[in-house]
Structures are given as structure tokens and as C-alpha cells.
Amino acid sequence: MKETMTTEQIQTGLKHYRRIARQDMLRAAETPHPDAFLKHAESRREIYARLGTHAETHAPDDVIAHALDLYRALPFVTGTPEHEHPDVKGQENALENFFLLVGLDPKTRREARSKRPKLAAAQAG
């Protein structure tokens, strides 16, 4: 894993990602599934804001650990139709973007991904 980013670098990256999500929210109406596209962008933006808030009072390694916890808690929705579960898919996308931003070891992300609950189990619980 590369050298850990500073809190300021993480905050800057998250602001950039929030701006992209905001642009996607504005263009949702132009997409084949506007409601799903909007929800996906809103979910991404929410995750970036949550991580940014966490980064205000925690060390970079703690922010990464928090992001991994959020990722592990997401139900696994891969393979469902594109416009279904846009909130979960948006959160997943945002967390994976964050992992790229901070240079998280792919093996660590795969291990976290393997611990995610199946969709039916998450809905029952």
C-alpha cells in the first residue's frame, strides 16, 4: 500500500467526488432511468459527505477503517438490473472510488467485499 494520504488530501479528493456526484444529480433527467440515476448520485454524494465529516475528527487510517466498515455492511447487489437498488449501488460505487483515492490495497477491498451480506439476508434483517 502506498503512503497514507493526509486528512487534507482526503478532504480535497472527497470534495472533488462530491462535485461530480452533484453534476450527475443535475443531469439525471437526461438518462434512461432518471429516478435511479438521481438516487445513485445522491447516495454517492451522501457517502462522500459522511466520510468527509468523519475525516474532520479522525486520522486518515481511521477514515479508511470506517469506509471499510460501511462497505462490509452493504448488501451485495451485483448482478441485479442496472436501475434496481440505486441507493446501494451508489454507496458501493462511492466507497470503491474512495478506496481508489486513498490507494487501498485491492486485496483488502476484496476481503471486505467477501464479507458483505447477500441481498436477501440484508433485507430480512
Side-chain angles (χ1 to χ4, degrees):
M1 188 158 109
K2 69 178 189 178
E3 187 175 315
T4 302
M5 295 175 73
T6 66
T7 299
E8 187 175 306
Q9 290 169 321
I10 288 174
Q11 293 278 26
T12 300
L14 289 170
K15 283 180 186 169
H16 175 72
Y17 281 148
R18 272 199 311 271
R19 282 194 293 273
I20 292 170
R22 176 77 180 135
Q23 290 170 350
D24 286 349
M25 290 166 62
L26 295 173
R27 67 182 193 93
E30 305 164 14
T31 66
H33 300 285
D35 293 340
F37 194 88
L38 178 62
K39 185 66 180 164
H40 188 282
E42 288 171 343
S43 296
R44 288 183 358 243
R45 196 162 188 252
E46 181 184 319
I47 288 291
Y48 300 139
R50 286 175 67 185
L51 292 174
T53 299
H54 198 78
E56 290 172 7
T57 56
H58 294 83
D61 287 343
D62 293 333
V63 179
I64 294 167
H66 179 63
L68 282 166
D69 288 342
L70 293 174
Y71 191 67
R72 278 186 212 99
L74 285 177
F76 200 72
V77 296
T78 301
T80 60
E82 178 185 352
H83 60 282
E84 289 184 11
H85 311 290
D87 52 336
V88 175
K89 290 177 181 175
Q91 292 174 55
E92 176 183 52
N93 184 236
L95 290 163
E96 289 176 352
N97 286 341
F98 176 75
F99 298 148
L100 289 172
L101 171 72
V102 299
L104 184 72
D105 174 35
K107 182 175 183 268
T108 303
R109 187 190 64 80
R110 280 193 306 273
E111 287 170 358
R113 184 177 176 87
S114 72
K115 291 179 173 60
R116 288 173 53 186
K118 295 207 178 339
L119 181 61
Q123 288 177 333

